[in-house]
Amino acid sequence: MLLDHLSNELAKFQEVLNQNQRFLVVSHNNPDGDTLGSNLAISMGLKNLGKQVTSTCYDKIPQKLEFLPESQNIVQEFLLEDFDALIIMDTGAKHLVSHFEMYPELNRTKKPIIIIDHHYSVEKFGDIKIINSKATSTTSLLFEIFKKFNWEVTPKIATCLLNGIYTDTGSFMHSNTNVFVLKQAAELGRLGADFRPIQINNFKRVPTNKLKLIGEVLSNIEFDPKTRVLKSGVPYETLEKYNAGPNDLDGVSDLICSYPEASYSVLYTENADGKVKASLRTRKENINVAKIAENFGGGGHTKAAGFRQHGRLQKRVIWDIV
Ligand SMILES: [Mn+2]
């Protein structure tokens, strides 16, 4: 189903696989559970076909994802001449892969670049694009490729595939969760995916600095009963105070939008680059936060969207007669 419109691209991919031996599999910067899960899964799958494969990511692997099988083999640097083809997982946006800045010759390479992704993109980048924005995760799409190509799904591969599904659905809680992906999760469980470490490492371990940061974000919540918008903000100094990065706020937007009275929530995060990121969430059927984000030059999904603006974050007190 996910591969219906992709026969041409898959045939081209098969051709590249037939004609080449040495593959570099690339994850996007600031790696998450889907880009790493899909990278490791396809790398193991290709190794099982007798290919030489190296996994790479520009940034270091987050500690919580170090449990993923073979994650210790992911390198940050490589020699381009060691590879015949590149496979980029979970992004079609060149600027999210800093290797293209690190190795300028990569921008001129004649070696085929294959993109496997589930984000909507109009970027003219990549020679073969196996992209379906309807897929819940890149690993969900990749699992279908494994089945289509009759590649063996070992328990380790199943764990990596399931990890991407778990993280991109927020452990089956986000609105992108559907029957198809639940069924895939069951199939992967049957194939030997080890789901307890996925749950524990991704969702049940929070370092103290992050707990304190979340505490501060929650205590800074403001709800405006007139607009029914719930907001909180994280000035850059707060991130510094807790030695935290924007990634430590993962899941906080979803938490604050749980307030039943709110029509939607906004979490502002001030970045070091002088921009403020706004993350919008809603649980209301009739509200489309992507539309709201578009008004500010952003975008996203109907229930989760965002935008960025230049500026500083300031908490204002508004006096009013009520
Ligand atoms: Mn993803």
Side-chain angles (χ1 to χ4, degrees), residues 34 90 118-119 168:
D34 191 29
D90 197 40
H118 70 127
H119 296 95
D168 272 23

